[in-house]
Amino acid sequence: MKLFDPEVFAGQVLPIDKFCPFETINGRKTKFPSKRSKIGKFVIEKAEKLLDYEMKVLPLSQYIRFKGDGNRTGYERPYFERRNNLNVLFLAELCEKEGRFIPKIMDILFAICEESTWVTPAHNYSVKDHYKTFIAQMPEPVGENIWAIDLFSASTGAIVALCYHFFYDEFEKRIPEHFNDRLYYELNRRIIKPYLNTVELWWMGYTRDSVNNWNIWINHNILTVCAFAVSNVRIRHALARKVAESANFYYQSMPDDGGCDEGPSYWSMAGGCLASFCELAYSVTGGKCNVFNDKKFENIVDYIRKVNIADDYFVNCADGHPRSVINGSLVRRMGSLFGNTEMFAFGNEIIKNFGYQVTFGHGSPYCNLTTVLDMEYDKNAAEYAPKTREYFPDLQLAVIRENSDTKKGFYLAAKGGHNAESHNHLDVGNFIVYNDGKPVILDAGVGTYTRFTFDINYRYKMFAFRTEDHTLPLINGKGQWVEKEHHADNFLLDEDKNEISVELKEAYVNKDEIDSFERKISLCDGEVKLCDKILLKNPGSAEFFIPVYNKPEKVAENKYKLADGAYITFEGDFETRIETIKFDVESFVKDWDKEEIYKFCLATKEDLAEIKLCAKITHN
């Protein structure tokens, strides 16, 4: 099933002189906020701080460093800083319309045009070896033979295209000879020609069965280039056709329930990008391309609402961070376009709580643009009240709330799935528990990316990726392993019992030693109950792990206080110890607002053929 007919979509795309951005956004005409508006003042104030911004160089030594010691931030930090600042200055100039920010915009654009490559070191795959792990030290090829497009070269192209479109006349007044020509030359050389001249880039979807967020992130930004910068009818048609065709591969790779296996912190670059892509498709066709009656697409967008715990906490898995500030403006507009009142109310609540914490980053310049158009909280909208259960049968994720107030009572989420999911951790069968909107039993998340993060020889030896870093046991000293063959079975949510059950034997590398591993976890009558039952073919051992936010305080035999209003009691005869996990990576500290978490370790005292662990999490 496809979301777009590529030929029809290409035929519907308006010529650039007929394209009026924002006229069909959210089904109504709109215009950019003035400098006197609340939003305008907010953006302009951010931009004024950048008028004296001095760009840092992008040194070769930092580019090649990734190939050496794996560090990617040394180059990425100044690289992203340029683009983030350009986005803010661009938006501020659209609000103020006085030309005050144009010189600094032109400075940054010129510097970006002068960069040897827009592709970041971590994504600098050579042409011949793109499907291998080889990453070149320096950009290759160069000149007119650029081949690769990565996430960040695509988003760079998008902000260059938007500046080209909106400030063309301003640029001509200041430098009439070649400035605009240079912008389009770089767009054509680095984005348009490479995109049209190959189907071999893995993220496009032509050469592999499934794709991830790379596909829709890049296609969204390519469509931005097409919509705002390409006037040649033939090229405009070719780009529009191909982005629709390639975006279909992303849509087809998503499950019917809309679940994102990369986790909520990737939604903005995945399902959120699809939402903004379709909004732009709607606008650039004058409203003719309207896919907002597609249920699967609606599920993909609504996923982010369903996995919100409270405030900015979300059900994290894989390389997902536990906290994210979601673009409430985008979610609310999607709710309006889909006629989904829950989605609208959730987006509106996000705007109320976090609207002015939004950062206009480098990832989706078009989405930044539409966000500024729609950042005001709607006081007349209905308040958001989440459901007490959410179930993703395809993704294999289930959520149970004690009640519909996000700040009261227990919140339980558990996953099944398989170990070939995008950005996978060895976490099949993992669960988390929150109380009154705060973490109790947690998934630590992910640290800062380096070269080693995606090297299988290192990844699953690092903290937060291993089986024992989750609420999962080692069985006979061994844990889960990668590939789709290591998966969950019989993942079910019993709504009558408020119980999640799953069979985990197949997820383990030593599954031949295991007859069965059944996990049941429920939330009933204000108690979370866990029961793990492992049957081994021969007597053996197990060690169970439960990461927790606060340092446990023993209050009775086998009973510990975990947080205000949350206690855990274990059943069974185990050697129990509590480990302190000190974070040595800044992103963990930022996610959890602390420098350490803790972990229960419960080991069997003797070899057994049947191993059972039961636990209760209660309010007292």
Side-chain angles (χ1 to χ4, degrees):
M1 184 178 176
K2 297 179 179 179
L3 190 59
F4 303 99
D5 182 312
E7 285 295 343
V8 171
F9 174 68
Q12 291 172 334
V13 169
L14 297 168
I16 199 164
D17 59 346
K18 300 281 182 66
F19 171 43
C20 299
F22 321 132
E23 282 202 357
T24 54
I25 294 292
N26 215 16
R28 66 180 189 273
K29 291 186 178 182
T30 188
K31 61 181 180 180
F32 224 73
S34 75
K35 66 179 183 180
R36 297 179 182 84
S37 67
K38 183 178 178 182
I39 299 169
K41 290 177 181 177
F42 168 70
V43 177
I44 290 168
E45 183 178 325
K46 289 170 71 76
E48 285 175 333
K49 297 175 183 177
L50 302 174
L51 286 171
D52 296 323
Y53 163 60
E54 294 288 340
M55 274 175 287
K56 299 179 180 69
V57 296
L58 301 178
L60 173 65
S61 59
Q62 291 298 328
Y63 199 97
I64 65 175
R65 184 179 176 185
F66 179 80
K67 181 72 172 177
D69 66 10
N71 180 285
R72 56 192 285 177
T73 58
Y75 188 85
E76 286 181 356
R77 187 174 289 115
Y79 172 97
F80 292 148
E81 186 179 84
R82 289 184 180 185
R83 287 145 176 83
N84 291 341
N85 290 346
L86 179 58
N87 270 279
V88 173
L89 290 160
F90 162 73
L91 296 169
E93 181 58 38
L94 285 177
C95 291
E96 190 175 84
K97 304 177 183 70
E98 294 177 1
R100 183 161 61 119
F101 301 108
I102 292 293
K104 185 60 69 175
I105 289 170
M106 295 178 76
D107 279 347
I108 300 176
L109 284 171
F110 185 72
I112 287 173
C113 287
E114 289 289 294
E115 292 173 4
S116 294
T117 180
W118 290 351
V119 176
T120 57
H123 303 155
N124 188 31
Y125 295 92
S126 71
V127 177
K128 299 287 186 186
D129 299 305
H130 187 74
Y131 295 106
K132 301 178 183 177
T133 57
F134 176 78
I135 295 177
Q137 277 191 302
M138 288 181 63
E140 185 191 14
V142 295
E144 297 301 315
N145 299 314
I146 291 173
W147 178 80
I149 302 173
D150 79 326
L151 298 171
F152 307 121
S153 62
S155 56
T156 299
I159 186 57
V160 171
L162 288 169
C163 290
Y164 176 83
H165 179 94
F166 285 101
F167 304 143
Y168 187 97
D169 292 340
E170 280 288 333
F171 296 159
E172 283 291 297
K173 282 193 297 186
R174 294 163 194 265
I175 306 180
E177 295 91 352
H178 302 300
F179 191 81
N180 281 313
D181 292 342
R182 178 68 187 280
L183 296 182
Y184 190 82
Y185 168 75
E186 297 298 345
L187 286 172
N188 189 51
R189 183 170 75 98
R190 301 177 192 255
I191 302 296
I192 298 168
K193 285 173 62 179
Y195 185 79
L196 291 177
N197 288 345
T198 187
V199 294
E200 295 178 24
L201 292 161
W202 68 267
W203 52 262
M204 287 181 167
Y206 295 99
T207 59
R208 59 190 288 172
D209 293 334
S210 64
V211 292
N212 66 359
N213 69 85
W214 274 57
N215 173 286
I216 197 61
W217 171 314
I218 296 174
N219 279 309
H220 177 32
N221 285 307
I222 299 290
L223 182 59
T224 304
V225 172
C226 173
F228 288 92
V230 176
S231 57
N232 181 287
V233 174
R234 180 184 61 82
I235 297 174
R236 196 171 174 86
H237 182 281
L239 285 170
R241 186 194 180 284
K242 192 169 183 180
V243 295
E245 187 173 68
S246 181
N248 277 333
F249 293 126
Y250 175 76
Y251 173 81
Q252 290 167 339
S253 72
M254 292 293 286
D256 288 342
D257 63 19
C260 179
D261 64 6
E262 298 170 290
S265 62
Y266 269 91
W267 177 87
S268 294
M269 294 84 85
C273 261
L274 179 63
S276 189
F277 177 97
C278 292
E279 190 175 47
L280 177 54
Y282 185 63
S283 181
V284 78
T285 60
K288 290 181 180 178
C289 179
N290 185 343
V291 292
F292 296 98
N293 57 356
D294 185 278
K295 187 60 182 175
K296 178 177 169 179
F297 173 31
E298 182 178 356
N299 287 341
I300 292 169
V301 179
D302 205 22
Y303 159 84
I304 196 64
R305 176 188 65 81
K306 295 175 181 177
V307 294
N308 176 253
I309 300 170
D311 293 329
D312 58 347
Y313 283 109
F314 290 84
V315 179
N316 63 310
C317 59
D319 278 357
H321 295 273
R323 299 168 76 177
S324 298
V325 175
I326 297 300
N327 188 326
S329 170
L330 175 64
V331 174
R332 186 173 66 180
R333 290 197 309 277
M334 290 299 108
S336 178
L337 288 163
F338 281 114
N340 184 323
T341 56
E342 288 179 317
M343 194 190 301
F344 184 96
F346 175 65
N348 197 51
E349 182 173 278
I350 293 292
I351 291 171
K352 178 183 178 182
N353 295 333
F354 302 102
Y356 282 82
Q357 292 182 31
V358 66
T359 56
F360 301 112
H362 55 270
S364 179
Y366 177 76
C367 196
N368 292 338
L369 192 61
T370 53
T371 297
V372 170
L373 294 168
D374 188 34
M375 283 180 66
E376 290 299 333
Y377 172 63
D378 184 348
K379 298 177 181 178
N380 298 317
E383 289 189 11
Y384 175 61
K387 296 177 181 176
T388 55
R389 290 188 294 259
E390 297 288 358
Y391 182 40
F392 298 85
D394 301 316
L395 180 64
Q396 295 190 359
L397 177 70
V399 165
I400 305 171
R401 292 182 184 274
E402 191 172 343
N403 59 62
S404 59
D405 187 331
T406 62
K407 302 292 182 65
K408 292 183 180 179
F410 284 132
Y411 179 101
L412 166 68
K415 74 179 293 290
H418 58 81
N419 280 327
E421 294 167 345
S422 187
H423 294 91
N424 176 70
H425 289 200
L426 301 178
D427 62 353
V428 172
N430 191 47
F431 72 91
I432 60 174
V433 176
Y434 279 57
N435 183 47
D436 296 341
K438 299 297 181 184
V440 177
I441 297 174
L442 55 83
D443 182 323
V446 65
T448 302
Y449 282 168
T450 70
R451 176 167 65 92
F452 306 107
T453 308
F454 296 100
D455 186 332
I456 196 170
N457 295 311
Y458 296 95
R459 181 178 177 88
Y460 298 106
K461 297 174 183 177
M462 297 163 61
F463 170 69
F465 297 89
R466 306 168 302 173
T467 304
E468 59 265 38
D469 300 322
H470 301 86
T471 55
L472 294 162
L474 296 179
I475 301 173
N476 287 336
K478 297 177 181 178
Q480 299 182 8
W481 193 235
V482 295
E483 303 302 341
K484 201 167 186 176
E485 67 184 75
H486 295 293
H487 58 82
D489 285 312
N490 303 322
F491 183 87
L492 294 170
L493 170 62
D494 186 326
E495 295 192 6
D496 292 330
K497 296 180 180 179
N498 263 3
E499 180 182 80
I500 304 160
S501 60
V502 61
E503 169 59 50
L504 298 175
K505 166 190 170 180
E506 294 293 326
Y508 278 75
V509 67
N510 56 335
K511 58 185 178 181
D512 291 342
E513 300 173 6
I514 305 168
D515 272 333
S516 68
F517 174 8
E518 183 184 49
R519 165 164 284 184
K520 292 183 177 181
I521 185 165
S522 63
L523 172 49
C524 292
D525 301 324
E527 290 186 350
V528 176
K529 295 181 181 179
L530 166 71
C531 184
D532 283 351
K533 184 177 180 181
I534 302 169
L535 299 180
L536 300 176
K537 292 183 177 178
N538 297 296
S541 64
E543 185 171 15
F544 297 84
F545 304 94
I546 299 180
V548 295
Y549 185 75
N550 290 318
K551 186 174 184 178
E553 176 187 337
K554 190 170 184 177
V555 295
E557 189 64 28
N558 292 332
K559 185 174 182 178
Y560 299 82
K561 182 179 180 180
L562 300 180
D564 289 339
Y567 296 78
I568 189 166
T569 304
F570 296 106
E571 296 177 13
D573 190 19
F574 296 94
E575 293 283 354
T576 302
R577 71 184 192 280
I578 298 168
E579 288 186 356
T580 300
I581 301 170
K582 289 192 174 294
F583 295 139
D584 57 2
V585 176
E586 183 181 348
S587 61
F588 285 121
V589 177
K590 181 180 177 182
D591 282 341
W592 297 110
D593 288 331
K594 59 188 307 189
E595 295 182 352
E596 59 190 28
I597 57 171
Y598 306 88
K599 181 168 70 172
F600 283 102
C601 308
L602 300 100
T604 52
K605 294 179 178 178
E606 58 182 325
D607 287 351
L608 300 167
E610 178 178 327
I611 302 170
K612 192 173 183 180
L613 171 71
C614 292
K616 291 192 299 183
I617 300 101
T618 58
H619 289 298
N620 51 51

